[in-house]
Amino acid sequence: MDARLQALRGRADEFPGLTGSALRAALAELADAALADLFGEPGAGIALLAVGGYGRREPAFGSDLDLVLVHDGRRKDVSAVADAIWYPLWDAGVGLDHSVRTVDEAVTVADTDLKAALGLLDARLIRGDTGLAAKLVDTVRARWRSRASRRLPELALSVNERARRTGEVAFLLEPDLKDSRGGMRDVQALKALAAAWVAEEPPARVQQAYEVLLDVRGEVRRIGQGRGQDRLLLQDGEAVATALGYPDSVAVSRAVADAGRVISWTWDTTWYRVAAAQRSSSRIGAGLRRPVRRPLDEGVVEQDGEIQLARDADPANDPGLVLRAAAAAARTGIPFGRYAIDRLAQEAPAMPAPWPEAARDDLVSLLATGDPAIRVMESLDQVGLLERLIPEWAAVRSRPQRNPYHRYTVDRHLLEAAARAAAHTRDVDRPDLLLLGALLHDIGKGYPGDHTDAGIDVVRELAPRLGLPPEDTEILLAMIRHHLLLVEAATRRDIDDTATIESVAASAGSVRVLTLLHRLTEADAQATGPTAWNAWKARLVSELVQRATAVLDGREPPCPPALSDRQIALLALPGDLTVQVNPLPDEGMFEIVVVTADDRVGLLATTAGVLALNRLDVRRASARSSAGRSLLQAAVAAPHGERPDLQRLQADLRGAITGSLDLTARLAGREQDYASSRRRSTPAPPQVIFDDSGSVPVVEVRAPDRAGVLHRIARALAETGLDVRTAIVATLGLDVVDAFYVEDPVEGPAGTRPAAVLSGERRAEVESVVLAALTAGAVAGASTGDGP
């Protein structure tokens, strides 16, 4: 008996070869047999019931056994029977959620406790008095139906609260398969609606999605050795894929995301109809009124708060009807009626090629509504209409991006980008191309190779099929080709450098394309995630666009001089060390000014290390010198927007410069703290890239983000003799991408080579020293976060 019970706790070697529904059935059968033996044959008036997930025969390794011992109130041995069941389970280490109640007590609890009510809806007799068990189940279900008007809003509130608290299965990097929106509990909520007789049982596709989540959860629990873990961790993806027969962890994530979307969409549409019916039934005389059909567009009407098709609509011979109905739904904020969207899914043909102009206009009108378009496009997608309109959509559908930088799957990111772009349709002269560009800019992520190159190939065929003329197709292709141009140039290069400005202008080719790229860049970043866009990046991109526009207009770009009047004044400040902290116009950003009495090559490395010790995230730094004095200016983001401590910065800098502060040792401790506070992962190896396209050489370093990484790189560059004039710092998810504008005294203006070029030998030396600095002393697992 003990061995049988302990098997329920779960070990990796239990039930070899069994996965999915077969594993769940085996676990349920094992538990049923063990509990039946423990219960014995005590006679009438008492019964043991499984409730919740165990009642549904869906246990996983380490799941608690949810049990109710129900009795008729007349037996004297109830405590003894209960003890005979509970104690062996506890001794075996099996998790237990148990209660002992009469039928009336259980019903009373269910009337006030939603979780208890939902568990009893799935109650199943294990052994005992069948009549008593049936009485309890029938009473609970009858009460659930009779009190639906009060209990169902409570159920919907709990669904919304879980979603708010735990996020969405489809878009979380490590989703909670049970509690997140679109998770297993939402399917149980759908079944509770059906139990109240206000909705049909969830359709087969929801059950299939549910099975996907159950299967994955089963392996997550097996990997976790029976721990109560329902979250699909990145580190477990490959093991789950192998066990369940998926090609790789990406396929698992995609299946989970797709399942979550099916479930959440079904809940949304089902609850909308249930809530509407409840509101309607509460109105006096609601059953006597005739339905009102309000025309919205050709073939499209509103009826009872839903989008429906007109009586004379003919979807089979009207391919534009899908988009007319969708645009009407987004424009009015009224959801599709199930009958209408099912009929469109069954009868609507593929769009002719090229699309009629009216159909393309309806697509643009739909996208222009912004956020409402996301909900409507999701409805089209869930019934297969979106792929019928744009077959290329299948390649990005539910495709995960699997890094903390991106919040959404590729397809949802594209919809979010289009919604964000809708806010800028009045800022461009071709709003239609802005919206289409936002919708398609990452379409290449569903295909092999570089996603930009793949996207160009896709859109080159797709745009003419949408009915775009050649000149518009070329603009759209330019948007796809350069959709990363502005943000990369603004955050990885010096926008004061004329070479950067001229390169951006040349790539855009026209003010129209540059303006479209400006708004696409903002929409793309806003749709990516919380760290992808902020006031600092917005200002850099805006200034870069202004300067590139001047070049395209034949004007001189408004670039600052080599030394501004303020910088000249700062360099003239007396003393051997001056430190200033000045607020910047961007929220939470500050300028750190450091002036020293000697022109030192390693000032950036020293300052970067001190800033890392003070938990300041460097975004940009520039160094200047004049008359033997050095000036460093760094733009930093402070934790929680708090003003940096000037006195501490000054003391730390003086100590680091004089050697009284062991910066290397202090940073090692900081790195250890940084690593221990973050999830471990396997980082990609660092890279050193050289760019000689500008007026001075640029050394770009891509490396795992960890505390003090800027200090390490700058110190390595100083060791090679390179003088860093400007550093541009960017954090992309788990990595930093730092660009250093350098001057090389070895091969400077007096040398035989131009200053903008580093020789092959010099490059090899710089790369070797930088990589060694990044490798030495690296802390395993300290590869996540957004800066020092």
Side-chain angles (χ1 to χ4, degrees):
M1 174 66 72
D2 285 346
R4 185 167 52 179
L5 289 173
Q6 287 173 356
L8 296 173
R9 296 170 58 189
R11 299 193 308 269
D13 59 350
E14 295 286 356
F15 300 96
L18 285 186
T19 61
S21 60
L23 175 61
R24 292 190 292 277
L27 288 171
E29 194 174 310
L30 179 70
D32 285 358
L35 289 168
D37 288 348
L38 291 173
F39 185 82
E41 295 290 350
I46 193 165
L48 182 64
L49 283 77
V51 299
Y54 178 35
R56 296 186 297 272
R57 291 187 172 89
E58 297 167 356
F61 284 127
S63 292
D64 289 349
L65 294 181
D66 296 338
L67 300 170
V68 174
L69 187 65
V70 63
H71 61 96
D72 60 8
R74 296 191 295 270
R75 294 187 59 116
K76 305 300 184 183
D77 62 343
V78 173
S79 294
V81 174
D83 289 348
I85 300 171
W86 308 154
Y87 279 98
L89 292 173
W90 288 327
D91 291 343
V94 176
L96 188 60
D97 188 348
H98 65 289
S99 61
V100 180
R101 295 189 174 103
T102 65
V103 170
D104 289 344
E105 288 171 344
V107 170
T108 299
V109 170
D111 281 345
T112 58
D113 186 327
L114 180 64
K115 182 180 178 181
L118 295 176
L120 285 169
L121 290 176
D122 293 317
R124 173 174 61 85
L125 177 65
I126 296 176
R127 178 163 288 190
D129 190 327
T130 58
L132 188 65
K135 180 181 178 182
L136 173 60
V137 173
D138 291 345
T139 303
V140 167
R141 286 180 167 265
R143 302 273 286 191
W144 180 254
R145 292 193 297 272
S146 66
R147 298 186 172 205
S149 61
R150 180 173 65 84
R151 302 311 302 273
L152 297 187
E154 183 185 0
L155 173 66
L157 187 64
S158 73
V159 170
N160 292 338
E161 173 58 24
R162 276 191 292 99
R164 184 198 63 77
R165 189 176 66 252
T166 61
E168 191 158 359
V169 164
F171 308 127
L172 287 168
L173 194 61
E174 295 182 331
D176 187 317
L177 303 169
K178 187 175 183 179
D179 282 342
S180 294
R181 171 174 158 82
M184 293 156 52
R185 287 200 191 277
D186 284 0
V187 177
Q188 292 146 27
L190 284 166
K191 292 181 178 180
L193 295 181
W197 294 357
V198 297
E200 297 177 351
E201 286 289 334
R205 63 195 302 261
V206 170
Q207 186 58 39
Q208 291 165 2
Y210 188 50
E211 293 285 333
V212 168
L213 299 185
L214 285 171
D215 292 353
V216 173
R217 181 211 185 198
E219 295 311 308
V220 166
R221 287 292 188 94
R222 192 199 299 266
I223 292 167
Q225 298 289 304
R227 294 192 306 270
Q229 169 67 270
D230 295 317
R231 192 176 296 278
L232 174 58
L233 302 178
L234 281 174
Q235 65 200 39
D236 295 337
E238 289 299 333
V240 172
T242 299
L244 296 178
Y246 288 95
D248 51 35
S249 61
V250 174
V252 172
S253 294
R254 192 169 191 174
V256 167
D258 196 47
R261 289 175 59 191
V262 168
I263 293 167
S264 60
W265 179 78
T266 305
W267 166 261
D268 287 345
T269 55
T270 304
W271 174 247
Y272 178 85
R273 291 194 302 275
V274 169
Q278 286 191 319
R279 289 192 300 269
S280 178
S281 65
S282 68
R283 299 183 188 125
I284 298 175
L288 302 177
R289 68 180 180 85
R290 297 180 62 184
V292 177
R293 297 171 68 85
R294 178 168 66 97
L296 298 176
D297 205 331
E298 182 184 353
V300 184
V301 299
E302 175 198 353
Q303 179 180 323
D304 292 334
E306 293 183 328
I307 295 292
Q308 297 291 355
L309 302 184
R311 292 187 179 90
D312 59 352
D314 184 9
N317 295 300
D318 185 0
L321 181 58
V322 170
L323 288 171
R324 286 203 305 279
R331 186 173 62 248
T332 60
I334 302 171
F336 270 109
R338 193 56 183 266
Y339 174 76
I341 199 164
D342 285 349
R343 187 179 172 199
L344 287 170
Q346 293 165 9
E347 300 180 26
M351 196 71 73
W355 283 23
E357 184 176 352
R360 189 174 67 253
D361 289 345
D362 285 329
L363 174 60
V364 170
S365 297
L366 167 61
L367 298 176
T369 63
D371 284 328
I374 296 174
R375 174 180 53 79
V376 174
M377 294 285 270
E378 179 70 8
S379 291
L380 297 181
D381 186 49
Q382 285 297 320
V383 297
L385 284 168
L386 189 49
E387 289 182 25
R388 201 174 306 173
L389 291 168
I390 304 175
E392 293 84 355
W393 198 259
V396 296
R397 188 178 189 279
S398 294
R399 187 175 185 84
Q401 308 209 57
R402 296 177 62 78
N403 63 66
Y405 190 63
H406 286 89
R407 176 188 299 169
Y408 297 113
T409 53
V410 177
D411 56 339
R412 179 60 179 266
H413 168 72
L414 293 175
L415 295 179
E416 290 283 342
R420 305 288 76 77
H424 299 292
T425 53
R426 295 185 180 181
D427 300 330
V428 297
D429 65 349
R430 289 299 303 272
D432 56 333
L433 295 180
L434 173 62
L435 293 169
L436 291 174
L439 182 67
L440 300 173
H441 73 278
D442 273 346
I443 196 75
K445 285 187 175 179
Y447 298 85
D450 179 82
H451 84 275
T452 298
D453 293 339
I456 290 170
D457 292 339
V458 169
V459 174
R460 184 175 283 115
E461 294 185 8
L462 175 58
R465 198 168 73 245
L466 294 177
L468 290 175
E471 57 272 20
D472 288 355
T473 297
E474 289 305 314
I475 293 175
L476 198 58
L477 288 173
M479 294 173 67
I480 306 299
R481 182 178 293 110
H482 299 303
H483 71 277
L484 297 175
L485 171 69
L486 295 181
V487 72
E488 289 187 349
T491 60
R492 302 187 193 178
R493 293 295 182 265
D494 185 0
I495 65 171
D496 292 340
D497 185 358
T498 55
T500 298
I501 299 166
E502 290 170 355
S503 174
V504 167
S507 295
S510 70
V511 173
R512 168 176 281 174
V513 170
L514 182 63
T515 305
L516 288 168
L517 286 174
H518 184 190
R519 298 311 176 188
L520 173 59
T521 297
E522 182 172 351
D524 183 15
Q526 289 174 335
T528 295
T531 64
W533 193 251
N534 51 41
W536 169 255
K537 290 182 181 179
R539 186 155 60 86
L540 288 176
V541 169
S542 182
E543 290 180 8
L544 177 58
V545 168
Q546 290 177 10
R547 295 171 185 182
T549 299
V551 171
L552 290 169
D553 285 342
R555 297 179 283 114
E556 285 292 324
C559 293
L563 280 176
S564 67
D565 292 341
R566 178 169 178 261
Q567 288 172 327
I568 292 172
L570 289 171
L571 282 163
L573 290 173
D576 63 333
L577 175 65
T578 299
V579 181
Q580 294 181 356
V581 175
N582 304 312
L584 289 171
D586 309 302
E587 184 178 358
M589 297 284 293
F590 296 87
E591 178 198 44
I592 307 297
V593 175
V594 179
V595 184
T596 63
D598 56 339
D599 185 5
R600 53 178 59 242
V601 169
L603 181 59
L604 173 61
T606 301
T607 304
V610 169
L611 294 176
L613 284 181
N614 286 266
R615 301 176 184 272
L616 297 173
D617 184 2
V618 180
R619 300 288 176 78
R620 175 188 170 101
S622 62
R624 300 288 188 272
S625 62
S626 177
R629 295 178 66 81
S630 291
L631 165 67
L632 184 135
Q633 294 166 279
V636 304
H640 313 298
E642 297 177 358
R643 187 184 185 93
D645 187 331
L646 173 61
Q647 309 237 325
R648 180 178 173 184
L649 283 175
Q650 190 155 9
D652 287 350
L653 274 166
R654 187 176 296 280
I657 290 172
T658 61
S660 61
L661 172 67
D662 189 343
L663 197 55
T664 301
R666 289 281 300 276
L667 278 174
R670 174 79 179 92
E671 286 185 357
Q672 189 64 50
D673 293 341
Y674 188 79
S676 63
S677 66
R678 283 159 171 80
R679 171 176 33 84
R680 294 181 180 274
S681 60
T682 304
Q687 292 179 285
V688 180
I689 301 168
F690 297 91
D691 181 359
D692 294 331
S693 63
S695 55
V696 297
V698 176
V699 180
E700 182 175 287
V701 181
R702 304 184 181 191
D705 181 23
R706 57 190 175 104
V709 66
L710 176 60
H711 165 74
R712 288 181 176 276
I713 299 170
R715 186 179 63 183
L717 293 174
E719 289 174 2
T720 67
L722 292 179
D723 191 4
V724 177
R725 311 312 294 168
T726 302
I728 312 295
V729 181
T731 304
L732 300 177
L734 304 178
D735 296 325
V736 293
V737 181
D738 296 348
F740 301 87
Y741 285 72
V742 299
E743 291 182 0
D744 188 1
V746 176
E747 300 184 10
T752 58
R753 280 177 290 276
V757 176
L758 295 177
S759 69
E761 291 181 4
R762 196 78 168 105
R763 288 186 176 193
E765 176 193 2
V766 170
E767 181 177 21
S768 174
V769 173
V770 169
L771 293 179
L774 290 171
T775 303
V779 181
S783 60
T784 60
D786 291 330

